[in-house]
Amino acid sequence: REDLSQSGVYFLFGTSDQTDDNIVYIGQAGVRKNGEGLLYRLIEHKRNPDKDYWTEAVVFTTTNNSFGPTEISYLENRFCRLAIEANRYVVKNGNDPSPGNITEEKESELEEFIDYAKIVMGALGHKLFEPLTDKPQAAITEEVSEEELLLFMKRKSRKSGQVIEASCKRTNEGFVVLQGSHIETIDSESIPPGIKGRRQRAKIDENGILQENILFRSPSYAAAFVIGGHVNGLVEWKTKDGVSLKEIENSEEN
């Protein structure tokens, strides 16, 4: 298609082989001297062994190829920041894209384009820009929908000697380790590499307190993130009444 030879921004979606986390790479493509644009950039990524994780691409452009370098730089920057803030996907961009230097009028125009892109992305099934939760942890503890389940973990760490206490919310998308949870800061030697990477990238203060909500696809990955090593999340996560997640899931199956 001719519009794929234009300039624009693109999203590469995939899943981590190690943690089963959703992954996204957000990039931009300008029209080159040879007339190639978005499609050629996607082909370059497909040939790159370091970016072989993606299985789906979503591109945004215009009908009249009106995006120049400044516009696509601004869009790439904004989309990256929105995805990082929502924290649903692991954003694979190594560098923070430059926002460029645009006028207020152009910024308003591009923000309208971003709002449109959010709607399209949601319709395609990617909740890339939707926050995990709009409420602070205190509110979540009090208000949990019927489809969700609030879970807790408390155990003394043999590595640091500290009592690790964390909370987690089961949703229809996975398991969200909640902001305010106490995270073990010392990794076990057996920690899965993908979980180790998530721990390194997470916002955890000097006291081991998690400063953001983080979504995991399984209870064991969520528990491993908290403990810093292999652990059975079905057994470790429990309700406030001490009922394990395994017991709950067994009762739900019956």
Side-chain angles (χ1 to χ4, degrees):
R1 296 185 50 164
E2 289 186 7
D3 47 7
L4 288 179
S5 65
Q6 299 181 162
S7 61
V9 291
Y10 59 89
F11 300 78
L12 306 180
F13 291 101
T15 305
S16 169
D17 293 333
Q18 297 176 331
T19 64
D20 204 33
D21 289 324
N22 290 321
I23 296 174
V24 65
Y25 177 88
I26 303 169
Q28 60 168 284
V31 177
R32 306 186 182 190
K33 292 181 179 180
N34 60 5
E36 300 289 352
L38 283 162
L39 181 58
Y40 189 79
R41 190 75 181 101
L42 295 180
I43 293 173
E44 285 183 327
H45 280 298
K46 199 62 179 176
R47 293 171 178 167
N48 185 348
D50 293 332
K51 292 188 172 66
D52 61 355
Y53 52 80
W54 65 281
T55 57
E56 179 183 355
V58 176
V59 302
F60 289 96
T61 185
T62 59
T63 56
N64 59 356
N65 196 26
S66 60
F67 283 158
T70 302
E71 287 84 358
I72 57 177
S73 291
Y74 178 86
L75 290 172
E76 181 188 17
N77 175 272
R78 286 284 287 127
F79 282 134
C80 277
R81 294 180 69 85
L82 288 169
I84 291 171
E85 289 171 4
N87 205 24
R88 284 182 177 273
Y89 287 65
V90 176
V91 180
K92 296 287 285 185
N93 294 61
N95 300 315
D96 188 18
S98 170
N101 186 16
I102 60 174
T103 64
E104 289 186 12
E105 181 180 2
K106 178 59 69 174
E107 180 179 356
S108 177
E109 177 185 328
L110 292 175
E111 286 298 324
E112 286 187 17
F113 184 88
I114 290 170
D115 289 339
Y116 165 76
K118 288 180 180 179
I119 296 172
V120 173
M121 197 67 80
L124 292 174
H126 294 293
K127 298 182 178 181
L128 179 62
F129 304 121
E130 298 180 22
L132 285 173
T133 176
D134 294 326
K135 300 177 181 178
Q137 184 184 0
I140 294 171
T141 304
E142 298 297 328
E143 300 180 28
V144 180
S145 68
E146 293 182 0
E147 295 79 15
E148 298 174 340
L149 178 68
L150 195 60
L151 300 164
F152 303 90
M153 178 193 303
K154 182 177 181 179
R155 60 185 285 181
K156 185 172 183 178
S157 170
R158 287 179 291 182
K159 292 175 288 187
S160 63
Q162 294 184 327
V163 176
I164 304 301
E165 293 188 72
S167 54
C168 171
K169 184 171 68 170
R170 185 183 71 173
T171 72
N172 57 8
E173 294 179 80
F175 295 81
V176 182
V177 178
L178 298 176
Q179 178 182 351
S181 294
H182 187 189
I183 307 299
E184 168 61 77
T185 56
I186 303 174
D187 292 339
S188 297
E189 292 183 2
S190 61
I191 186 173
I195 295 298
K196 184 173 184 177
R198 290 295 297 273
R199 284 163 57 85
Q200 291 173 341
R201 293 189 299 270
K203 297 176 183 177
I204 303 172
D205 70 13
E206 64 276 9
N207 298 314
I209 305 302
L210 185 64
Q211 303 298 305
E212 59 183 340
N213 298 314
I214 300 183
L215 173 66
F216 295 89
R217 301 290 287 275
S218 80
S220 290
Y221 282 139
F225 173 83
V226 173
I227 299 301
H230 282 289
V231 64
N232 186 343
L234 290 172
V235 175
E236 292 293 336
W237 291 114
K238 299 178 180 179
T239 67
K240 62 180 180 180
D241 298 320
V243 181
S244 71
L245 179 59
K246 184 176 182 179
E247 293 174 289
I248 293 171
E249 291 192 351
N250 287 339
S251 65
E252 290 173 341
E253 292 175 358
N254 297 330

